Amino acid sequence: MGLLDDKVVLVNGGSQGVGAAVARAAVREGAVVAVTGRRPEPGEALVEELIAAGGKALYVRADLSDAEQAKASVSRVVQAYGRVDCLVNAAGLTSRGTLLDTTPDLFDQHIAINLKGPFFAMQAAVADMVAREAPGTIVNIITSSAHGGQAFLAPYVAAKAGLIGLTRNAAHAHRWDRVRINGLNIGWTATEGEDATQRAFHGAGDDWREQAAAKLPMGKLGQPDEIAEFVVFLLSERSGVVTGSIIDWDQNVLGGLD
């Protein structure tokens, strides 16, 4: 028996990176999986991979910065499979901006993708769970930078810190509905998106991962498959009654000083 046998799992931002790793892990644990993304090519390729591995999967094209599309992604999965048991909000925007150079447009982009999208996806998913009087689980992928972060992440930190507050608020509001909602503050992680960000904003070369790993306590960046296994645990009944928790999934101890 898998941890997610017969569960319907929607992974928003699931076509690459941590989201894709969660989708793969959920299928291995017996779930039916739907993934969303703006670009069809990686989303459809992932679904083909999951089906070839014996899983049941669906790609839903959605721009999660649009609240209506975020809600519609849930409706599409309910239409296809009858319900959503688990939701993972893994989509994220990490483009750089400081307090002094962030434009209103860049700020709005971060709020739309990193906070508004998760808000309205959660709204639709919890509405489905409550209507069915069924328990459910949600995991929001956040960031350890939400504790303060680097100076060049001002709008990102603002939006992700808001997602922490939303996670706790929603978990409190729906605990009597048996809907458990938790968040994962992940640290520096080796994803396709991070590779693009390092090259675009920091002039990184092909060996940036090795250079970064050498500066980290465990000698490696966070790995999407390891994060995915933990997300599956939080989605499953094995995590018990835990709700409203924001877990630092990182190798640096926030608040610790040398």
Side-chain angles (χ1 to χ4, degrees), residues 7-113:
K7 298 296 185 183
V8 177
V9 179
L10 169 58
V11 185
N12 278 328
S15 60
Q16 65 177 16
V18 171
V22 170
R24 293 185 182 101
V27 164
R28 287 196 300 271
E29 292 295 338
V32 174
V33 173
V35 298
T36 70
R38 288 179 292 181
R39 295 184 298 122
E41 294 81 5
E44 291 172 352
L46 175 63
V47 165
E48 289 177 5
E49 173 195 327
L50 297 176
I51 293 172
K56 190 173 183 180
L58 170 72
Y59 167 68
V60 177
R61 187 174 185 178
D63 180 353
L64 297 171
S65 66
D66 183 324
E68 293 305 316
Q69 291 189 49
K71 292 191 289 185
S73 70
V74 176
S75 299
R76 176 70 181 86
V77 177
V78 172
Q79 180 185 37
Y81 299 123
R83 66 190 192 279
V84 171
D85 298 304
C86 309
L87 170 67
V88 179
N89 283 309
L93 176 68
T94 60
S95 53
R96 291 356 192 182
T98 70
L99 178 66
L100 298 181
D101 64 22
T102 294
T103 64
D105 181 61
L106 178 61
F107 184 84
D108 288 346
Q109 289 176 33
H110 276 273
I111 294 298
I113 295 174

Side-chain angles (χ1 to χ4, degrees), residues 93-153:
L93 176 68
T94 60
S95 53
R96 291 356 192 182
T98 70
L99 178 66
L100 298 181
D101 64 22
T102 294
T103 64
D105 181 61
L106 178 61
F107 184 84
D108 288 346
Q109 289 176 33
H110 276 273
I111 294 298
I113 295 174
N114 294 323
L115 181 56
K116 186 169 73 172
F119 185 106
F120 287 101
M122 289 169 62
Q123 181 187 81
V126 172
D128 171 67
M129 296 166 187
V130 170
R132 292 183 292 109
E133 298 183 345
T137 51
I138 297 173
V139 174
N140 291 321
I141 305 300
I142 312 177
T143 173
S144 58
S145 293
H147 290 287
Q150 297 91 331
F152 54 76
L153 291 178

Side-chain angles (χ1 to χ4, degrees), residues 122-212:
M122 289 169 62
Q123 181 187 81
V126 172
D128 171 67
M129 296 166 187
V130 170
R132 292 183 292 109
E133 298 183 345
T137 51
I138 297 173
V139 174
N140 291 321
I141 305 300
I142 312 177
T143 173
S144 58
S145 293
H147 290 287
Q150 297 91 331
F152 54 76
L153 291 178
Y156 176 68
V157 169
K160 288 291 193 177
L163 185 54
I164 287 178
L166 171 61
T167 300
R168 289 179 172 143
N169 178 271
H172 173 74
H174 292 284
R175 67 198 193 280
W176 290 103
D177 296 314
R178 298 177 296 154
V179 176
R180 298 190 298 111
I181 306 172
N182 295 291
L184 210 57
N185 278 340
I186 64 173
W188 202 359
T189 305
T191 64
E192 303 97 321
E194 182 61 17
D195 180 68
T197 295
Q198 289 297 320
R199 294 175 188 274
F201 294 99
H202 302 287
D206 292 341
D207 63 344
W208 75 265
R209 294 179 185 81
E210 291 76 16
Q211 291 188 25

